[in-house]
Amino acid sequence: MAETKVEEMPVELDMNDRDPNELNEHVKNSWPELFGEPEGVYSFERIWMCSYKTYFYTKLWCYKIISAICAVPAAFCWGVYFACMSFMYIWYLTPCVKAYLVQLNFASNLFQVFLKSFCNPLWESCALIFSKFGAGGGGGDSKA
């Protein structure tokens, strides 16, 4: 009797590097990438620091709150989506493509029979007709 394999989690999560493949490099939006005061146009230092802290903590906590509310349902939805996509490929698309290739093979064989039966004799007849003209291009005796 065959032994059944228990499904395990495929990847161990690195809690320090959560984007090891750099999938979301385009989402980086740190303070210096967004805001900069050119020389000679500085706001008050306390306003600049307060603005930085407001931006940083607002972004941090909004992301954490939205993640806490939406991450698990979103992960569930994406899990369902990829499960359905896998199901479609395994049980529908791959068999359909294989069936199509079988039909295509039959059509290819039928087309080859057609070419060998009808077109090859035609091309051979044309070749025989044109071979009578000669390779010199003159078509007859050319005596100098």
Side-chain angles (χ1 to χ4, degrees):
M1 202 160 155
E3 207 175 296
T4 57
K5 187 175 180 182
V6 177
E7 187 72 25
E8 295 179 13
M9 297 287 275
V11 176
E12 190 134 342
L13 293 178
D14 180 1
M15 297 307 288
N16 293 321
D17 184 10
R18 296 188 188 188
D19 191 10
N21 297 325
E22 298 178 353
L23 299 173
N24 294 304
E25 283 293 310
H26 60 284
V27 182
K28 282 187 176 179
N29 49 15
S30 64
W31 178 265
E33 294 172 336
L34 297 173
F35 302 103
E37 291 182 330
E39 193 172 326
V41 194
Y42 289 166
S43 60
F44 295 110
E45 283 184 25
R46 291 198 182 267
I47 298 296
W48 185 251
M49 284 302 299
C50 184
S51 298
Y52 167 72
K53 288 178 182 179
T54 302
Y55 168 79
F56 178 80
Y57 288 112
T58 301
K59 182 181 86 165
L60 174 74
W61 285 103
C62 282
Y63 180 78
K64 287 183 184 257
I65 291 168
I66 292 169
S67 294
I69 294 168
C70 299
V72 172
F76 175 79
C77 291
W78 284 115
V80 168
Y81 172 78
F82 282 107
C84 290
M85 187 177 67
S86 297
F87 178 84
M88 285 279 294
Y89 271 87
I90 292 167
W91 294 103
Y92 181 70
L93 292 175
T94 301
C96 282
V97 168
K98 294 290 185 181
Y100 178 71
L101 290 175
V102 168
Q103 296 297 324
L104 197 59
N105 188 33
F106 173 74
S108 171
N109 291 338
L110 195 63
F111 188 65
Q112 285 179 1
V113 167
F114 170 76
L115 286 177
K116 289 178 183 175
S117 300
F118 298 104
C119 294
N120 282 358
L122 176 68
W123 301 134
E124 288 175 12
S125 298
C126 289
L128 284 172
I129 291 170
F130 288 116
S131 70
K132 301 297 180 192
F133 290 111
D141 292 336
S142 57
K143 295 182 182 176

